[in-house]
Amino acid sequence: MKKTILITGGAGFIGSHVVRLFVNKYSDYKIVNLDKLTYAGNLENLSDVENAENYIFEKGDIVDKDFIEQIFEKYNFDGVIHLAAESHVDRSITNPMEFIMTNVVGTVNLLNAAKNIWKGNEDGKLFYHVSTDEVYGSLGNTGLFLETTSYDPQSPYSSSKASSDHFVRAYGNTYGMPYVISNCSNNYGPNQFPEKLLPLFINNIKHSKSLPVYGDGLFTRDWLYVVDHARAIDVIYHEGRNAETYNIGGFNEWTNIDLIKVMCKQMDEFLGNPDGTAEGLITYVTDRPGHDKRYAIDATKLKNELGWEPSLQFEEGLKKTIKWYLENEEWMENITSGEYQKYYLEQYG
Ligand code: NAD
Ligand code: DAU
């Protein structure tokens, strides 16, 4: 095998698309997926590659320092693509400590293990840290996040991600750790856990349940199809410059309410319901505390330097996404029974 790469959080939403792309595209790489399988981790996401010869799954917790050291000794990785995280803003508001442990302590455990094993032999090695645009805080009505925008995280989630970004840069600066960081906007697509806006609303419409829109619904996000994020990670991993940051985004801003209305229209078409049926489920609810008003990414650096661009138009991506959730009922049922019901009741009453 040419390279052995550790992908953390590979059983989650974005991680599973990154694992699939790397396993299929690089048959000469050994891909080790390390995941704790929290509520968000699901090996069903990877059933199509689980028997591939160049794929290995390791169940474990990045907060467990001894386990992480052992894994690095066992595989002697050439590279790390670090996606494992607690990723949902609402959960970070009810349980910030979990986010500090996984997102901060877990990241530092990985950095330490990589530093110790690569010491004096950093050539060709890379620690790729996958981060979010939320570290930049909230924009007003105009402007875009650049790689040089100052950090101003507003939620426990984004603060923990910002902290982990700082540690990665500190390890580069202090110990010469070869690294790259990317900060991406909101992803959508197959395999996303139905706590996030799109899969939650698709599932609710299917069951004729209300659609809880936070506040006035005029919050803005930039949406990117998850496979395009995985493609960007591939390009940055192989061609990105050491110690650089790359913003990744869809050049695709929507207010929540406009996005929800487009999605409702498509759902009515898919389900054969009269136009307006899904929209009738929209219910405005109490806002998320500290809700960031607007995120918008300028991904020009990635486009100019590495030639990456989103491949899908939004409405096409949304159709593909809805179709996937409607065709994968069992996937949805398996994760929305049990614990999910408790979460839903606590979050939405
Ligand atoms: P996700 O919640 O779907 O998946 C996270 C994965 O990490 C799960 O498989 C989970 O089991 C695993 N995990 C959690 N804690 C762990 C631990 N302590 N040890 C080992 N594994 C653990 O998340 P996602 O949406 O796929 O996000 C992946 C990464 O991308 C995160 O770092 C997130 O901050 C970042 N990101 C997400 C988005 C987005 O829109 N979802 C956008 C930009 C960046
Ligand atoms: O910007 C990147 C980030 O995008 C990632 O780093 C996070 O991991 C990811 O969860 C996502 O964060 P958001 O908070 O933007 O995503 P979420 O799907 O939770 O919410 C999207 C918007 O929809 C946000 O403005 C809140 C709103 N919303 C969300 C839910 C779950 C609602 O109005 N109602 C809801 O029930």
Side-chain angles (χ1 to χ4, degrees), residues 12 37 42 49 62 70 102 104 106 131 145 192 197 204 209 212 214 218 223 241 245 250 257 260 296 305 319 325:
L37 299 182
N42 184 354
V49 293
I62 57 170
Q70 283 163 23
T102 287
V104 185
S131 192
F145 294 134
Q192 188 169 31
L197 182 74
N204 280 12
K209 281 173 74 174
Y214 293 162
L218 295 176
W223 294 89
R241 284 181 293 133
T245 298
I257 195 66
I260 290 160
E305 257 190 40
K319 269 198 188 120
Y325 286 101

Side-chain angles (χ1 to χ4, degrees), residues 8-16 34-42 45 60-64 82-88 101-103 106 129-133 157 161 182-188 191-193 195-196 223 226 229:
T8 70
F13 167 47
I14 301 168
S16 61
L34 187 165
D35 199 296
K36 182 181 173 184
L37 299 182
T38 67
Y39 76 91
N42 184 354
N45 293 345
D61 188 344
I62 57 170
V63 177
D64 182 344
H82 175 36
L83 296 111
E86 287 293 333
S87 69
H88 191 41
M101 293 311 292
T102 287
N103 298 0
H129 181 59
V130 176
S131 192
T132 168
D133 61 357
Y157 163 68
K161 291 296 292 186
S182 60
N183 297 81
C184 188
S185 61
N186 284 61
N187 284 215
Y188 71 99
N191 308 98
Q192 188 169 31
F193 193 82
E195 62 190 350
K196 309 278 166 51
W223 294 89
V226 62
H229 188 185

Side-chain angles (χ1 to χ4, degrees), residues 217-244:
L218 295 176
F219 300 84
T220 301
R221 299 290 183 266
D222 166 33
W223 294 89
L224 177 70
Y225 193 64
V226 62
V227 175
D228 279 332
H229 188 185
R231 283 177 49 244
I233 289 173
D234 176 21
V235 172
I236 295 168
Y237 183 86
H238 289 98
E239 293 167 42
R241 284 181 293 133
N242 181 37
E244 285 291 326

Side-chain angles (χ1 to χ4, degrees), residues 114-239:
K115 171 170 90 64
N116 293 340
I117 214 116
W118 293 345
K119 202 172 171 193
N121 189 23
E122 284 90 1
D123 250 18
K125 308 291 194 294
L126 184 64
F127 192 101
Y128 185 153
H129 181 59
V130 176
S131 192
T132 168
D133 61 357
E134 300 201 10
V135 299
Y136 299 122
S138 184
L139 289 163
N141 291 333
T142 56
L144 298 169
F145 294 134
L146 291 166
E147 287 80 0
T148 48
T149 301
S150 300
Y151 275 33
D152 187 21
Q154 300 292 320
S155 72
Y157 163 68
S158 53
S159 301
S160 67
K161 291 296 292 186
S163 173
S164 62
D165 292 12
H166 289 319
F167 273 105
V168 175
R169 290 196 182 94
Y171 272 59
N173 185 52
T174 311
Y175 307 112
M177 166 81 69
Y179 77 90
V180 71
I181 299 179
S182 60
N183 297 81
C184 188
S185 61
N186 284 61
N187 284 215
Y188 71 99
N191 308 98
Q192 188 169 31
F193 193 82
E195 62 190 350
K196 309 278 166 51
L197 182 74
L198 277 170
L200 180 89
F201 279 29
I202 291 169
N203 192 40
N204 280 12
I205 292 169
K206 188 145 179 275
H207 294 97
S208 304
K209 281 173 74 174
S210 69
L211 307 177
V213 177
Y214 293 162
D216 58 11
L218 295 176
F219 300 84
T220 301
R221 299 290 183 266
D222 166 33
W223 294 89
L224 177 70
Y225 193 64
V226 62
V227 175
D228 279 332
H229 188 185
R231 283 177 49 244
I233 289 173
D234 176 21
V235 172
I236 295 168
Y237 183 86
H238 289 98
E239 293 167 42

Side-chain angles (χ1 to χ4, degrees), residues 33 68 129 137 151 183 203 234 251 278 286-287 290 306 311 330 335:
N33 170 17
I68 291 301
H129 181 59
Y151 275 33
N183 297 81
N203 192 40
D234 176 21
F251 301 100
T286 310
D287 203 0
L306 305 181
S311 70
E330 206 181 314
I335 54 175

Side-chain angles (χ1 to χ4, degrees), residues 9-56:
F13 167 47
I14 301 168
S16 61
H17 289 275
V18 177
V19 167
R20 175 174 302 102
L21 189 151
F22 273 69
V23 166
N24 288 334
K25 185 168 173 186
Y26 301 106
S27 54
D28 52 348
Y29 288 7
K30 187 190 286 174
I31 302 300
V32 181
N33 170 17
L34 187 165
D35 199 296
K36 182 181 173 184
L37 299 182
T38 67
Y39 76 91
N42 184 354
L43 288 177
E44 266 186 64
N45 293 345
L46 290 166
S47 52
D48 55 330
V49 293
E50 68 188 1
N51 294 321
E53 275 182 14
N54 60 340
Y55 172 72
I56 298 171

Side-chain angles (χ1 to χ4, degrees), residues 293-305:
K293 188 75 188 167
R294 178 171 164 256
Y295 306 141
I297 276 278
D298 184 341
T300 310
K301 175 177 171 181
L302 181 57
K303 185 177 168 194
N304 288 350
E305 257 190 40

